[in-house]
Amino acid sequence: MKKTSLSQMITVLCGLSIFSALVLGIVYELTKEPIKKAKENKELEAIKEVVYGEFYNNPFAERHKIALRKKNAYIDLFPARDKDGKITSIAIKTYSNNGFGGKIELMVGFLVDGTINTFKVIEHKETPGLGSKITENKFSQQFHGINPGKQVFKVKQDGGEIDAVTAATISSRAVIDAIQRGYNAYNKLSAGK
């Protein structure tokens, strides 16, 4: 049996590492665009679900990035226009880092006056069967017609009007936090600040 020297083992290990890095780089480059396209399609479907009525423009072409106070943090605003080019509602991709499982991303539809049409959860890591119920219509329907600037926009446990998901108050608060963030950014943009 032939003995392997330390230098030979290091050479083989380095060769395998370089080969693995090249393969990972190639796979990343091959999948980057399809993943981006799938994410955009998911967002476009969410926009269709949350805005008021049909839209006749390309919301991605008119996307506005709204900077938040936190460094390198922003949310996306997508205007929906009718046949005459008039904005009928706004979809805002927003988030909260306060979910029980971490970050929750939403697409929220606002009417021009800031009233919520509805929202759709895009991504979350909430507990299945508990916090994941924030994705159900029973929870989201109660937001329809609420204007966060004119009503107490909190869960009932905190003195507001929203029924939290049973055993998932943290997740429910995170949804409210995300919607409030989107509402505040929309008002900031509307006021020209």
Side-chain angles (χ1 to χ4, degrees), residues 82-148:
D82 64 13
K83 288 180 181 178
D84 299 324
K86 182 180 173 189
I87 295 176
T88 57
S89 57
I90 307 292
I92 296 180
K93 182 181 174 192
T94 183
Y95 70 94
S96 175
N97 291 321
N98 299 330
F100 186 77
K103 188 173 186 177
I104 296 174
E105 289 186 352
L106 307 174
M107 188 70 73
V108 185
F110 289 100
L111 302 180
V112 180
D113 68 353
T115 301
I116 299 168
N117 187 46
T118 190
F119 73 88
K120 170 113 174 121
V121 177
I122 299 173
E123 283 189 34
H124 73 88
K125 294 180 180 97
E126 301 305 284
T127 308
L130 291 173
S132 65
K133 290 184 178 181
I134 60 172
T135 63
E136 295 178 0
N137 284 341
K138 182 180 178 185
F139 179 67
S140 65
Q141 287 174 346
Q142 64 183 325
F143 289 81
H144 179 74
I146 291 178
N147 187 314

Side-chain angles (χ1 to χ4, degrees), residues 30-41:
L30 290 173
T31 59
K32 181 170 59 172
E33 282 304 312
I35 289 171
K36 181 182 174 189
K37 190 72 174 160
K39 187 174 181 179
E40 284 182 356
N41 286 339

Side-chain angles (χ1 to χ4, degrees), residues 32-60:
K32 181 170 59 172
E33 282 304 312
I35 289 171
K36 181 182 174 189
K37 190 72 174 160
K39 187 174 181 179
E40 284 182 356
N41 286 339
K42 185 177 181 181
E43 289 178 3
L44 185 58
E45 287 303 313
I47 291 169
K48 288 177 184 177
E49 288 183 41
V50 302
V51 296
Y52 178 75
E54 291 185 50
F55 56 89
Y56 295 87
N57 63 318
N58 178 353
F60 286 105

Side-chain angles (χ1 to χ4, degrees), residues 27 40 68 78 93 101 103 112 140 146 151 173 183 193:
V27 169
E40 284 182 356
L68 302 175
F78 304 91
K93 182 181 174 192
K103 188 173 186 177
V112 180
S140 65
I146 291 178
Q151 292 166 274
R173 286 181 179 132
Y183 177 80
K193 296 178 183 174

